[in-house]
Structures are given as structure tokens and as C-alpha cells.
Amino acid sequence: KAQELLKTETLKRIKTINFSLFGFLILFFILVVVLIQKYIYINRAKILIGKEKNKIIQLIKNILPENVADEIIKNGTYRSRKFSQTTVLVADFINFTKISAKFSPETIINELNELYSTFDSIAQKYSSERVKTIGDAYLAVNGLSESNPYSLENMIGCGLEFIDFLNKRNKTAEIQWKIRLSVVTGEIIGGIVGIDKYLFDVFGNTINLVFRLNSVADPMQLLILEEDA
């Protein structure tokens, strides 16, 4: 009887140990599953955050000059400064208000989108970049990203290609666009304006001169002024 009791007690202990071990394995398995799910969730979150971060970086680069965007991405801010070796170009569409009144808003926006996109591509080819558009006036600068002793030559080439593009386009396009072009070389000030809705803008006598010069330029001609001359 003693042996049977001992055997029975031993079996009970073995069952208890097996049950505890089984319970431990279940808890361990659950813990592993939870950790794996957490790991997957964190990785997915990192990927999503990375994608959103890249979108924001690309957006900043799309709306700001390259060197300005790089400084904001790196430091979170941009320090206003003077640019001494720059050339500014303004392209202003002739009779824009009169022409736009004859067509739907969608048509005019589509036209401007095509024209400005082409201008942007041409400007980039000449190491220049659009800073802003003011209504139908397109303002580009050469010499923002780095000092360029050939900024005037580059901007003249850019402006002449604008004219060439429009002349070719006007042969088949429904709307015949013509522009006045002015180019001024000199010093400008550049900086971020605004807090919630900020933009990069340029100021100074060079900017004032290029707009005044544009008002007296002939259609489809490039009027040039070297401010330092």
C-alpha cells in the first residue's frame, strides 16, 4: 500500500509538473506572438514614418530653392543672407488679363502649368531656379545655390530659350502667348517669410530694377542691365 501511495503521489507530482510546464509553454508562446506582433507593428510604423518624412522632404525641396531646402532639413531653420553674385530674370506675359478673360479658369491654369513647368526645366538646365510667380510674372534667380561668375550668361541663355520655346509653341497652340523679359545682375537679399505658411522670398534694389526694366521691354525681347556696371 505504501508503494502504491508513493506511486500515486509521484504520478500526481509528475502531472502537476507537466501541467505547469504546459502552462508555461503556452504563456511563453503567447509572449513570443505578442513580441513578434509588436516588432512587426513597430517596423511598419517606422516604414510609414520614413515614407511620410521623405514626402515632407521632397515637398520642401519642391517649393524652396535647393540650398534653402537643404539648410531647413538639416537645421530646421534658414538664416537670411545677402547674395552678391546673382542674376535675376522676370518673364511677364503680355495681355494676360485680356487673354485669360476669353477662356475658362481651367484652361488658363492648364496653360500656366505647362508654361511654368517648361520654364522650370529650362531654368534648371542653366543652373537657375524659379523663386516665385506673381500672378503671370515668373521670377527666377541664378546664383542662389552657389556663387556663379557666369550667372549673367546663364540667365541670358535661359531667357533666350524661353523665347525660342514660345515661338515654336505658338505655331500650333490655340493661345498665342508672348512675354517681356528682363534680366538684372546684382546683389539680393533672400530669406524665409512667414511662420505658419512660410515661403522663400528675395528683396533688394536688383529686384526693384528687374521689374522696372520689364515694364519697358519689347515683346519677345530680352532687356539686360548689369547693376554693378
Side-chain angles (χ1 to χ4, degrees):
K1 290 183 178 180
Q3 289 180 350
E4 290 179 358
L5 289 173
L6 180 60
K7 184 178 180 180
T8 302
E9 187 64 26
T10 301
L11 290 172
K12 287 181 179 180
R13 288 181 180 180
I14 291 173
K15 288 181 179 180
T16 301
I17 292 172
N18 287 339
F19 180 78
S20 299
L21 181 60
F22 180 72
F24 173 77
L25 289 173
I26 291 176
L27 289 175
F28 179 76
F29 177 75
I30 293 172
L31 179 61
V32 169
V33 171
V34 170
L35 289 175
I36 291 174
Q37 289 179 338
K38 184 177 180 181
Y39 174 78
I40 293 173
Y41 174 80
I42 291 174
N43 273 356
R44 286 178 178 174
K46 286 182 178 179
I47 291 172
L48 288 174
I49 291 172
K51 287 181 178 179
E52 292 304 314
K53 182 180 178 181
N54 290 335
K55 287 180 181 178
I56 293 172
I57 290 174
Q58 190 58 49
L59 178 62
I60 292 174
K61 288 186 175 183
N62 285 342
I63 63 176
L64 295 174
E66 183 179 356
N67 66 315
V68 178
D70 289 341
E71 186 171 326
I72 289 178
I73 292 168
K74 182 179 179 180
N75 303 323
T77 185
Y78 178 79
R79 180 176 56 85
S80 300
R81 64 199 66 181
K82 287 184 179 180
F83 300 89
S84 58
Q85 285 188 320
T86 62
T87 302
V88 182
L89 173 147
V90 168
D92 187 43
F93 288 95
I94 299 171
N95 294 326
F96 177 81
T97 302
K98 184 178 179 180
I99 293 174
S100 62
K102 298 178 181 179
F103 298 90
S104 68
E106 292 80 7
T107 298
I108 296 301
I109 293 300
N110 289 336
E111 287 283 306
L112 289 178
N113 182 56
E114 180 190 346
L115 295 170
Y116 287 164
S117 296
T118 304
F119 285 179
D120 286 345
S121 297
I122 295 172
Q124 186 176 17
K125 183 171 129 181
Y126 288 90
S127 302
S128 306
E129 49 196 329
R130 169 168 42 127
V131 172
K132 60 182 177 179
T133 56
I134 309 169
D136 59 302
Y138 178 103
L139 188 149
V141 178
N142 185 288
L144 282 179
S145 296
E146 58 184 9
S147 181
N148 184 357
Y150 303 104
S151 66
L152 178 59
E153 290 85 346
N154 284 342
M155 197 58 90
I156 290 173
C158 177
L160 292 176
E161 195 160 329
F162 282 6
I163 295 171
D164 185 57
F165 157 69
L166 286 176
N167 281 330
K168 291 178 180 178
R169 185 180 186 275
N170 285 341
K171 292 178 180 179
T172 57
E174 179 183 6
I175 303 178
Q176 307 293 298
W177 294 110
K178 292 185 178 182
I179 54 175
R180 292 187 181 91
L181 277 166
S182 56
V183 168
V184 175
T185 180
E187 183 181 85
I188 64 173
I189 298 171
I192 295 293
V193 178
I195 298 175
D196 296 327
K197 295 182 180 180
Y198 62 84
L199 57 83
F200 178 80
D201 209 346
V202 287
F203 311 91
N205 189 51
T206 302
I207 303 300
N208 296 332
L209 282 175
V210 75
F211 276 101
R212 290 175 187 170
L213 196 65
N214 189 271
S215 65
V216 296
D218 292 327
M220 303 298 274
Q221 296 293 321
L222 186 62
L223 199 53
I224 305 165
L225 173 67
E226 292 187 71
E227 187 185 353
D228 294 332

